Amino acid sequence: MFSKRKKEKYCLVLSGGGAKGVYHLGAWKALSELGIEVDAFIGNSIGAIVAGYLAQGLTKELEYIGDNIGVDFIMKIPEEFLENGAIRVGKANLTAFKKFYHSVVEKKGIDVSPLREMLKNHLSEEAIRRSGNDLGVVTFNVSDFKPQYEFLEDMPPGAVLDYLMASAAFPGLEQTVINGKSFIDGGVVDNMPYEMARARGYKNIIVVDISGMGINKKPNITGSRTIYIKNSINMGWVFDFSRSFLDNFRKLGYLDTKRVFGALKGEKYFFLPDVKAEKSFDQYIDSEAARKILDFHISSSDEEQLTPRQKIRRILPESMRQRKELLYCLADCAAAVFDIEQIREYTLGELAERIRRKKDEDDIRVAKLKQELTHDEQISLGVQLELLFKEVRKKDSDRDSPYYDYCLCTDVLEWGHKLLLKGLMVHHKELSAGLLAIDFLFDYTK
């Protein structure tokens, strides 16, 4: 099925995922800044569309799409269902929706002529073929009921745009017809066409996985240099065209990619490397001041024979315990304790300043509450905290910071706080290390 080719530069494999494809744009921006050379692009669905643009070198056009895309870029939807580029259906437009639904049934899918028109205006098949870049897509032939893996030389003249549309024909959207055959999104068989790259002979491969719907096969990377990039935060869905999601997920693609290549540090957060701070911290961790703080936070007798670094690793979340750079692990935990915004770059100095401000705010709130709370209100607060640890009180986005809840348990409640504190520590895996990191921060930087 595949002809063999070998290249020294990278082959970029882009998975499908609808609106989540903006992540690919952020990833590409990071790859460009890092000087990573790519001359082969293989994708499915939105990954195929982005691959077509990149194969032609249309970076500016992709940036424009990322800045402005809404659901109306992809499909023809009545204006009364659109609000800020996203679909909104309620009681007010229910009658119109029923009419729209019947038209979709008649056409066997939602009209995707806006997407075709956009590709027609931007893409040049001649320019793609002339570029020297490799381009491959996966789609599913409904008429013959089989997958089709198509590279540029397999596509007949004039059919490149059709195959991009065929790969992106998500179930429920209008099917693409090529030579009398109907095609739908390749995600029904292979949402992340990594094996296309391997069968093509590529060994240097970058995979960008956006957690899209469909069949996501686990890649067999044996015998290759494969770099795997995946969204570190689960958010949005394939038809989430809200501006806030699109901007954040695109930024996440940029940050995740830079972190995978070592240009950023951290696990949940993204820190610019600071060699000077790393060296200073390595010296500080063995100081008497650091040992006193460690003894305060880790006081059990079985810890006495451990080195300071071993003690810290014992209280880190399990996912961080094997990481080499303790400074960034502690910074990660401290940021999590205060629910600091995740999707942005931080210097360690910027993070420290944010933590100082947040700590001051929470400390003032706790002190005020301690003065005002009645006996009955204390009991009610204890019940609320207990429910919180069972994850039924509020959505994560509505919760107070773990540090604030910790202060309620230790400074405000007069009874039952030890049991609640234990629940809090279980609920927030970063809390123990985060509290230690805060004390280190105020001692280390004073």
Side-chain angles (χ1 to χ4, degrees):
M1 185 190 306
F2 306 106
S3 58
K4 298 277 187 176
R5 288 181 60 189
K6 292 185 178 181
K7 292 274 187 166
E8 294 182 359
K9 297 178 182 179
Y10 279 98
C11 171
L12 183 62
V13 178
L14 305 173
S15 76
K20 299 174 82 172
V22 292
Y23 186 94
H24 293 322
L25 310 190
W28 179 252
K29 180 181 179 183
L31 291 173
S32 300
E33 290 182 5
L34 293 166
I36 307 299
E37 294 188 69
V38 180
D39 67 350
F41 304 89
I42 297 174
N44 173 64
S45 196
I46 186 62
I49 300 293
V50 174
Y53 273 77
L54 294 178
Q56 191 178 328
L58 299 180
T59 302
K60 289 183 179 180
E61 288 78 358
L62 275 179
E63 288 295 318
Y64 173 81
I65 293 171
D67 289 340
N68 298 280
I69 192 170
V71 69
D72 52 332
F73 273 52
I74 310 298
M75 59 191 82
K76 190 172 286 187
I77 300 289
E79 288 187 9
E80 56 261 46
F81 302 145
L82 297 177
E83 183 180 321
N84 297 323
I87 300 174
R88 295 287 185 272
V89 179
K91 292 182 179 179
N93 55 20
L94 194 56
T95 302
F97 179 77
K98 289 179 180 178
K99 183 178 179 181
F100 170 67
Y101 174 77
H102 289 305
S103 71
V104 170
V105 172
E106 290 175 6
K107 294 179 180 180
K108 298 181 179 179
I110 299 175
D111 185 343
V112 290
S113 57
L115 175 60
R116 178 175 284 275
E117 192 62 25
M118 183 175 68
L119 298 186
K120 186 177 178 181
N121 290 337
H122 288 169
L123 296 178
S124 164
E125 178 173 325
E126 181 183 355
I128 293 174
R129 293 186 186 276
R130 196 172 57 240
S131 70
N133 292 323
D134 202 9
L135 174 64
V137 305
V138 58
T139 183
F140 187 79
N141 186 327
V142 178
S143 300
D144 296 337
F145 205 73
K146 66 177 184 180
Q148 284 191 210
Y149 297 88
E150 302 287 338
F151 281 99
L152 197 55
E153 70 267 21
D154 304 320
M155 303 175 194
V160 171
L161 188 151
D162 290 328
Y163 276 103
L164 296 177
M165 290 290 297
S167 182
F170 192 84
L173 302 182
E174 189 177 3
Q175 295 179 3
T176 299
V177 178
I178 304 174
N179 293 329
K181 307 281 189 179
S182 295
F183 292 83
I184 61 171
D185 194 306
V188 299
V189 289
D190 194 353
N191 191 49
M192 190 175 65
Y194 175 79
E195 288 304 322
M196 280 187 76
R198 294 301 305 274
R200 189 72 157 169
Y202 292 112
K203 292 187 181 294
N204 296 333
I205 303 169
I206 299 171
V207 175
V208 184
D209 179 0
I210 56 176
S211 304
M213 297 171 64
I215 304 299
N216 291 281
K217 300 177 182 178
K218 185 177 180 179
N220 177 11
I221 65 173
T222 305
S224 72
R225 185 191 177 200
T226 297
I227 298 170
Y228 188 76
I229 301 166
K230 183 176 175 60
N231 54 293
S232 59
I233 302 173
N234 289 322
M235 54 192 293
W237 68 297
V238 294
F239 286 119
D240 188 345
F241 286 93
S242 62
R243 193 70 254 166
S244 60
F245 164 71
L246 294 171
D247 290 344
N248 280 328
F249 207 59
R250 180 178 169 192
K251 190 187 300 182
L252 184 64
Y254 174 81
L255 296 171
D256 280 341
T257 301
K258 290 188 72 175
R259 185 165 60 187
V260 166
F261 279 88
L264 292 173
K265 304 290 186 178
E267 182 176 275
K268 292 179 66 175
Y269 289 82
F270 304 91
F271 305 113
L272 287 165
D274 188 331
V275 175
K276 184 178 179 181
E278 291 171 24
K279 291 180 178 178
S280 297
F281 181 78
D282 283 341
Q283 294 173 349
Y284 170 77
I285 201 66
D286 292 317
S287 70
E288 184 61 29
R291 286 178 182 275
K292 287 180 180 178
I293 293 173
L294 275 169
D295 289 342
F296 175 79
H297 285 271
I298 309 170
S299 57
S300 58
S301 58
D302 62 343
E303 306 283 353
E304 290 179 2
Q305 303 305 315
L306 300 179
T307 67
R309 289 168 180 78
Q310 289 172 330
K311 289 182 179 181
I312 292 171
R313 292 191 187 283
R314 290 283 291 271
I315 65 170
L316 286 173
E318 193 169 344
S319 62
M320 295 184 187
R321 289 178 186 174
Q322 300 305 314
R323 291 180 175 266
K324 293 181 180 179
E325 296 160 322
L326 284 181
L327 174 60
Y328 300 107
C329 291
L330 290 172
D332 234 313
C333 292
V337 163
F338 287 99
D339 278 339
I340 302 293
E341 177 190 353
Q342 276 185 263
I343 307 177
R344 58 157 291 173
E345 277 183 14
Y346 291 98
T347 65
L348 292 173
E350 288 171 340
L351 179 69
E353 184 56 35
R354 285 201 172 211
I355 287 175
R356 283 190 176 93
R357 291 201 303 268
K358 290 276 283 182
K359 184 178 185 302
D360 287 345
E361 291 169 5
D362 283 350
D363 286 345
I364 290 170
R365 289 175 62 203
V366 169
K368 184 178 180 182
L369 186 65
K370 188 175 182 179
Q371 288 181 339
E372 297 175 350
L373 218 57
T374 66
H375 174 83
D376 289 342
E377 287 171 338
Q378 275 207 29
I379 295 175
S380 176
L381 177 61
V383 172
Q384 290 178 30
L385 286 172
E386 186 177 6
L387 290 175
L388 167 63
F389 306 149
K390 294 178 180 178
E391 300 184 279
V392 296
R393 194 188 94 178
K394 294 181 180 179
K395 294 181 180 178
D396 285 342
S397 59
D398 296 328
R399 289 177 180 166
D400 290 309
S401 73
Y403 174 79
Y404 179 79
D405 287 333
Y406 169 80
C407 290
L408 293 183
C409 291
T410 56
D411 294 344
V412 177
L413 298 181
E414 295 178 358
W415 58 87
H417 61 279
K418 289 185 178 180
L419 186 60
L420 288 173
L421 190 58
K422 184 177 180 181
L424 182 63
M425 293 292 187
V426 171
H427 189 74
H428 294 290
K429 305 297 184 185
E430 303 93 353
L431 186 55
S432 293
L435 294 170
L436 170 67
I438 294 165
D439 283 351
F440 272 169
L441 171 70
F442 287 101
D443 183 64
Y444 169 59
T445 59
K446 66 183 179 182

PDB file of all heavy atoms in Angstrom, residues 200-226:
ATOM      1  N   ARG A 200       5.944   4.536   5.577  1.00  0.00           N
ATOM      2  CA  ARG A 200       6.547   5.384   4.548  1.00  0.00           C
ATOM      3  C   ARG A 200       8.077   5.369   4.663  1.00  0.00           C
ATOM      4  O   ARG A 200       8.781   5.802   3.754  1.00  0.00           O
ATOM      5  CB  ARG A 200       6.009   6.814   4.710  1.00  0.00           C
ATOM      6  CG  ARG A 200       6.365   7.803   3.607  1.00  0.00           C
ATOM      7  CD  ARG A 200       5.613   7.525   2.340  1.00  0.00           C
ATOM      8  NE  ARG A 200       5.517   8.725   1.498  1.00  0.00           N
ATOM      9  CZ  ARG A 200       5.094   8.700   0.244  1.00  0.00           C
ATOM     10  NH1 ARG A 200       4.735   7.553  -0.315  1.00  0.00           N
ATOM     11  NH2 ARG A 200       5.009   9.809  -0.456  1.00  0.00           N
ATOM     12  N   GLY A 201       8.561   4.917   5.791  1.00  0.00           N
ATOM     13  CA  GLY A 201      10.000   4.838   6.005  1.00  0.00           C
ATOM     14  C   GLY A 201      10.567   5.918   6.892  1.00  0.00           C
ATOM     15  O   GLY A 201      11.781   5.978   7.101  1.00  0.00           O
ATOM     16  N   TYR A 202       9.713   6.756   7.471  1.00  0.00           N
ATOM     17  CA  TYR A 202      10.203   7.824   8.336  1.00  0.00           C
ATOM     18  C   TYR A 202      10.603   7.267   9.693  1.00  0.00           C
ATOM     19  O   TYR A 202       9.904   6.435  10.270  1.00  0.00           O
ATOM     20  CB  TYR A 202       9.135   8.906   8.509  1.00  0.00           C
ATOM     21  CG  TYR A 202       8.849   9.673   7.247  1.00  0.00           C
ATOM     22  CD1 TYR A 202       7.627   9.551   6.591  1.00  0.00           C
ATOM     23  CD2 TYR A 202       9.811  10.515   6.701  1.00  0.00           C
ATOM     24  CE1 TYR A 202       7.371  10.250   5.429  1.00  0.00           C
ATOM     25  CE2 TYR A 202       9.551  11.215   5.531  1.00  0.00           C
ATOM     26  CZ  TYR A 202       8.334  11.074   4.896  1.00  0.00           C
ATOM     27  OH  TYR A 202       8.090  11.765   3.738  1.00  0.00           O
ATOM     28  N   LYS A 203      11.715   7.728  10.200  1.00  0.00           N
ATOM     29  CA  LYS A 203      12.191   7.323  11.522  1.00  0.00           C
ATOM     30  C   LYS A 203      12.193   8.500  12.502  1.00  0.00           C
ATOM     31  O   LYS A 203      12.078   8.308  13.708  1.00  0.00           O
ATOM     32  CB  LYS A 203      13.589   6.715  11.423  1.00  0.00           C
ATOM     33  CG  LYS A 203      13.622   5.382  10.685  1.00  0.00           C
ATOM     34  CD  LYS A 203      14.984   4.746  10.751  1.00  0.00           C
ATOM     35  CE  LYS A 203      15.013   3.417   9.997  1.00  0.00           C
ATOM     36  NZ  LYS A 203      14.144   2.410  10.637  1.00  0.00           N
ATOM     37  N   ASN A 204      12.367   9.718  12.003  1.00  0.00           N
ATOM     38  CA  ASN A 204      12.280  10.920  12.842  1.00  0.00           C
ATOM     39  C   ASN A 204      10.856  11.459  12.754  1.00  0.00           C
ATOM     40  O   ASN A 204      10.473  12.053  11.734  1.00  0.00           O
ATOM     41  CB  ASN A 204      13.271  11.980  12.376  1.00  0.00           C
ATOM     42  CG  ASN A 204      14.706  11.528  12.540  1.00  0.00           C
ATOM     43  OD1 ASN A 204      15.008  10.711  13.398  1.00  0.00           O
ATOM     44  ND2 ASN A 204      15.590  12.047  11.710  1.00  0.00           N
ATOM     45  N   ILE A 205      10.084  11.224  13.794  1.00  0.00           N
ATOM     46  CA  ILE A 205       8.649  11.522  13.732  1.00  0.00           C
ATOM     47  C   ILE A 205       8.222  12.316  14.961  1.00  0.00           C
ATOM     48  O   ILE A 205       8.619  12.004  16.086  1.00  0.00           O
ATOM     49  CB  ILE A 205       7.821  10.213  13.667  1.00  0.00           C
ATOM     50  CG1 ILE A 205       8.255   9.366  12.460  1.00  0.00           C
ATOM     51  CG2 ILE A 205       6.327  10.517  13.592  1.00  0.00           C
ATOM     52  CD1 ILE A 205       7.678   7.952  12.473  1.00  0.00           C
ATOM     53  N   ILE A 206       7.403  13.343  14.731  1.00  0.00           N
ATOM     54  CA  ILE A 206       6.769  14.096  15.823  1.00  0.00           C
ATOM     55  C   ILE A 206       5.275  13.847  15.727  1.00  0.00           C
ATOM     56  O   ILE A 206       4.661  14.094  14.688  1.00  0.00           O
ATOM     57  CB  ILE A 206       7.055  15.603  15.714  1.00  0.00           C
ATOM     58  CG1 ILE A 206       8.555  15.883  15.803  1.00  0.00           C
ATOM     59  CG2 ILE A 206       6.308  16.363  16.806  1.00  0.00           C
ATOM     60  CD1 ILE A 206       8.939  17.309  15.491  1.00  0.00           C
ATOM     61  N   VAL A 207       4.690  13.337  16.794  1.00  0.00           N
ATOM     62  CA  VAL A 207       3.252  13.078  16.850  1.00  0.00           C
ATOM     63  C   VAL A 207       2.598  14.144  17.727  1.00  0.00           C
ATOM     64  O   VAL A 207       3.071  14.415  18.833  1.00  0.00           O
ATOM     65  CB  VAL A 207       2.956  11.690  17.443  1.00  0.00           C
ATOM     66  CG1 VAL A 207       1.450  11.480  17.605  1.00  0.00           C
ATOM     67  CG2 VAL A 207       3.540  10.594  16.569  1.00  0.00           C
ATOM     68  N   VAL A 208       1.529  14.742  17.232  1.00  0.00           N
ATOM     69  CA  VAL A 208       0.749  15.688  18.038  1.00  0.00           C
ATOM     70  C   VAL A 208      -0.655  15.102  18.204  1.00  0.00           C
ATOM     71  O   VAL A 208      -1.425  15.025  17.255  1.00  0.00           O
ATOM     72  CB  VAL A 208       0.680  17.084  17.400  1.00  0.00           C
ATOM     73  CG1 VAL A 208      -0.051  18.051  18.331  1.00  0.00           C
ATOM     74  CG2 VAL A 208       2.073  17.603  17.085  1.00  0.00           C
ATOM     75  N   ASP A 209      -0.944  14.671  19.423  1.00  0.00           N
ATOM     76  CA  ASP A 209      -2.192  13.980  19.753  1.00  0.00           C
ATOM     77  C   ASP A 209      -3.081  14.932  20.546  1.00  0.00           C
ATOM     78  O   ASP A 209      -2.721  15.350  21.645  1.00  0.00           O
ATOM     79  CB  ASP A 209      -1.848  12.731  20.574  1.00  0.00           C
ATOM     80  CG  ASP A 209      -3.081  11.937  21.002  1.00  0.00           C
ATOM     81  OD1 ASP A 209      -4.205  12.339  20.673  1.00  0.00           O
ATOM     82  OD2 ASP A 209      -2.898  10.910  21.683  1.00  0.00           O
ATOM     83  N   ILE A 210      -4.264  15.261  20.005  1.00  0.00           N
ATOM     84  CA  ILE A 210      -5.143  16.228  20.658  1.00  0.00           C
ATOM     85  C   ILE A 210      -6.355  15.570  21.317  1.00  0.00           C
ATOM     86  O   ILE A 210      -7.355  16.223  21.591  1.00  0.00           O
ATOM     87  CB  ILE A 210      -5.594  17.330  19.677  1.00  0.00           C
ATOM     88  CG1 ILE A 210      -6.273  16.729  18.445  1.00  0.00           C
ATOM     89  CG2 ILE A 210      -4.414  18.195  19.276  1.00  0.00           C
ATOM     90  CD1 ILE A 210      -6.828  17.773  17.479  1.00  0.00           C
ATOM     91  N   SER A 211      -6.259  14.267  21.559  1.00  0.00           N
ATOM     92  CA  SER A 211      -7.321  13.543  22.270  1.00  0.00           C
ATOM     93  C   SER A 211      -8.662  13.660  21.565  1.00  0.00           C
ATOM     94  O   SER A 211      -9.701  13.879  22.202  1.00  0.00           O
ATOM     95  CB  SER A 211      -7.459  14.054  23.728  1.00  0.00           C
ATOM     96  OG  SER A 211      -6.243  13.960  24.408  1.00  0.00           O
ATOM     97  N   GLY A 212      -8.637  13.516  20.237  1.00  0.00           N
ATOM     98  CA  GLY A 212      -9.869  13.587  19.460  1.00  0.00           C
ATOM     99  C   GLY A 212     -10.649  12.286  19.521  1.00  0.00           C
ATOM    100  O   GLY A 212     -10.169  11.253  19.989  1.00  0.00           O
ATOM    101  N   MET A 213     -11.892  12.340  19.042  1.00  0.00           N
ATOM    102  CA  MET A 213     -12.731  11.150  19.005  1.00  0.00           C
ATOM    103  C   MET A 213     -12.256  10.211  17.889  1.00  0.00           C
ATOM    104  O   MET A 213     -11.601  10.626  16.947  1.00  0.00           O
ATOM    105  CB  MET A 213     -14.190  11.562  18.760  1.00  0.00           C
ATOM    106  CG  MET A 213     -14.779  12.416  19.858  1.00  0.00           C
ATOM    107  SD  MET A 213     -16.397  13.084  19.425  1.00  0.00           S
ATOM    108  CE  MET A 213     -17.372  11.576  19.281  1.00  0.00           C
ATOM    109  N   GLY A 214     -12.595   8.930  18.017  1.00  0.00           N
ATOM    110  CA  GLY A 214     -12.242   7.961  16.993  1.00  0.00           C
ATOM    111  C   GLY A 214     -11.285   6.913  17.515  1.00  0.00           C
ATOM    112  O   GLY A 214     -11.050   6.790  18.722  1.00  0.00           O
ATOM    113  N   ILE A 215     -10.704   6.156  16.606  1.00  0.00           N
ATOM    114  CA  ILE A 215      -9.779   5.085  16.953  1.00  0.00           C
ATOM    115  C   ILE A 215      -8.372   5.663  17.065  1.00  0.00           C
ATOM    116  O   ILE A 215      -7.791   6.098  16.073  1.00  0.00           O
ATOM    117  CB  ILE A 215      -9.803   3.971  15.890  1.00  0.00           C
ATOM    118  CG1 ILE A 215     -11.228   3.439  15.689  1.00  0.00           C
ATOM    119  CG2 ILE A 215      -8.855   2.845  16.296  1.00  0.00           C
ATOM    120  CD1 ILE A 215     -11.850   2.828  16.931  1.00  0.00           C
ATOM    121  N   ASN A 216      -7.853   5.687  18.286  1.00  0.00           N
ATOM    122  CA  ASN A 216      -6.502   6.196  18.525  1.00  0.00           C
ATOM    123  C   ASN A 216      -5.588   5.023  18.852  1.00  0.00           C
ATOM    124  O   ASN A 216      -5.567   4.538  19.988  1.00  0.00           O
ATOM    125  CB  ASN A 216      -6.506   7.212  19.678  1.00  0.00           C
ATOM    126  CG  ASN A 216      -7.215   8.500  19.309  1.00  0.00           C
ATOM    127  OD1 ASN A 216      -6.664   9.353  18.629  1.00  0.00           O
ATOM    128  ND2 ASN A 216      -8.460   8.634  19.748  1.00  0.00           N
ATOM    129  N   LYS A 217      -4.874   4.542  17.856  1.00  0.00           N
ATOM    130  CA  LYS A 217      -4.023   3.368  18.029  1.00  0.00           C
ATOM    131  C   LYS A 217      -2.741   3.742  18.760  1.00  0.00           C
ATOM    132  O   LYS A 217      -2.140   4.776  18.493  1.00  0.00           O
ATOM    133  CB  LYS A 217      -3.679   2.778  16.661  1.00  0.00           C
ATOM    134  CG  LYS A 217      -4.898   2.326  15.862  1.00  0.00           C
ATOM    135  CD  LYS A 217      -4.503   1.824  14.482  1.00  0.00           C
ATOM    136  CE  LYS A 217      -5.723   1.416  13.670  1.00  0.00           C
ATOM    137  NZ  LYS A 217      -5.360   0.973  12.306  1.00  0.00           N
ATOM    138  N   LYS A 218      -2.337   2.877  19.686  1.00  0.00           N
ATOM    139  CA  LYS A 218      -1.093   3.100  20.422  1.00  0.00           C
ATOM    140  C   LYS A 218       0.084   2.909  19.479  1.00  0.00           C
ATOM    141  O   LYS A 218       0.225   1.854  18.856  1.00  0.00           O
ATOM    142  CB  LYS A 218      -0.993   2.128  21.600  1.00  0.00           C
ATOM    143  CG  LYS A 218       0.218   2.382  22.484  1.00  0.00           C
ATOM    144  CD  LYS A 218       0.241   1.437  23.668  1.00  0.00           C
ATOM    145  CE  LYS A 218       1.452   1.708  24.546  1.00  0.00           C
ATOM    146  NZ  LYS A 218       1.491   0.805  25.723  1.00  0.00           N
ATOM    147  N   PRO A 219       0.937   3.926  19.330  1.00  0.00           N
ATOM    148  CA  PRO A 219       2.034   3.815  18.364  1.00  0.00           C
ATOM    149  C   PRO A 219       3.138   2.868  18.828  1.00  0.00           C
ATOM    150  O   PRO A 219       3.493   2.844  20.005  1.00  0.00           O
ATOM    151  CB  PRO A 219       2.557   5.247  18.266  1.00  0.00           C
ATOM    152  CG  PRO A 219       2.190   5.883  19.562  1.00  0.00           C
ATOM    153  CD  PRO A 219       0.907   5.248  19.988  1.00  0.00           C
ATOM    154  N   ASN A 220       3.635   2.071  17.913  1.00  0.00           N
ATOM    155  CA  ASN A 220       4.799   1.224  18.165  1.00  0.00           C
ATOM    156  C   ASN A 220       6.025   1.997  17.705  1.00  0.00           C
ATOM    157  O   ASN A 220       6.290   2.093  16.511  1.00  0.00           O
ATOM    158  CB  ASN A 220       4.668  -0.097  17.414  1.00  0.00           C
ATOM    159  CG  ASN A 220       5.895  -0.979  17.596  1.00  0.00           C
ATOM    160  OD1 ASN A 220       6.759  -0.698  18.436  1.00  0.00           O
ATOM    161  ND2 ASN A 220       5.983  -2.035  16.819  1.00  0.00           N
ATOM    162  N   ILE A 221       6.773   2.561  18.654  1.00  0.00           N
ATOM    163  CA  ILE A 221       7.859   3.477  18.302  1.00  0.00           C
ATOM    164  C   ILE A 221       9.205   2.770  18.163  1.00  0.00           C
ATOM    165  O   ILE A 221      10.224   3.418  17.925  1.00  0.00           O
ATOM    166  CB  ILE A 221       7.977   4.600  19.349  1.00  0.00           C
ATOM    167  CG1 ILE A 221       8.390   4.028  20.712  1.00  0.00           C
ATOM    168  CG2 ILE A 221       6.660   5.364  19.460  1.00  0.00           C
ATOM    169  CD1 ILE A 221       8.682   5.092  21.743  1.00  0.00           C
ATOM    170  N   THR A 222       9.226   1.448  18.300  1.00  0.00           N
ATOM    171  CA  THR A 222      10.480   0.696  18.221  1.00  0.00           C
ATOM    172  C   THR A 222      11.207   0.996  16.909  1.00  0.00           C
ATOM    173  O   THR A 222      10.607   0.955  15.834  1.00  0.00           O
ATOM    174  CB  THR A 222      10.211  -0.814  18.320  1.00  0.00           C
ATOM    175  OG1 THR A 222       9.478  -1.082  19.509  1.00  0.00           O
ATOM    176  CG2 THR A 222      11.516  -1.600  18.336  1.00  0.00           C
ATOM    177  N   GLY A 223      12.496   1.300  17.018  1.00  0.00           N
ATOM    178  CA  GLY A 223      13.295   1.551  15.824  1.00  0.00           C
ATOM    179  C   GLY A 223      13.123   2.931  15.236  1.00  0.00           C
ATOM    180  O   GLY A 223      13.547   3.185  14.100  1.00  0.00           O
ATOM    181  N   SER A 224      12.519   3.840  15.986  1.00  0.00           N
ATOM    182  CA  SER A 224      12.312   5.199  15.474  1.00  0.00           C
ATOM    183  C   SER A 224      12.718   6.217  16.524  1.00  0.00           C
ATOM    184  O   SER A 224      12.908   5.885  17.695  1.00  0.00           O
ATOM    185  CB  SER A 224      10.838   5.424  15.109  1.00  0.00           C
ATOM    186  OG  SER A 224      10.056   5.527  16.292  1.00  0.00           O
ATOM    187  N   ARG A 225      12.857   7.454  16.091  1.00  0.00           N
ATOM    188  CA  ARG A 225      13.025   8.569  17.023  1.00  0.00           C
ATOM    189  C   ARG A 225      11.710   9.323  17.011  1.00  0.00           C
ATOM    190  O   ARG A 225      11.498  10.214  16.197  1.00  0.00           O
ATOM    191  CB  ARG A 225      14.185   9.462  16.589  1.00  0.00           C
ATOM    192  CG  ARG A 225      14.471  10.578  17.593  1.00  0.00           C
ATOM    193  CD  ARG A 225      15.440  11.608  17.050  1.00  0.00           C
ATOM    194  NE  ARG A 225      15.631  12.691  17.995  1.00  0.00           N
ATOM    195  CZ  ARG A 225      16.101  13.892  17.674  1.00  0.00           C
ATOM    196  NH1 ARG A 225      16.458  14.145  16.430  1.00  0.00           N
ATOM    197  NH2 ARG A 225      16.253  14.822  18.588  1.00  0.00           N
ATOM    198  N   THR A 226      10.831   8.918  17.898  1.00  0.00           N
ATOM    199  CA  THR A 226       9.492   9.494  17.932  1.00  0.00           C
ATOM    200  C   THR A 226       9.344  10.421  19.128  1.00  0.00           C
ATOM    201  O   THR A 226       9.622  10.029  20.262  1.00  0.00           O
ATOM    202  CB  THR A 226       8.412   8.399  17.998  1.00  0.00           C
ATOM    203  OG1 THR A 226       8.466   7.609  16.809  1.00  0.00           O
ATOM    204  CG2 THR A 226       7.027   9.001  18.128  1.00  0.00           C
TER     205      THR A 226
END
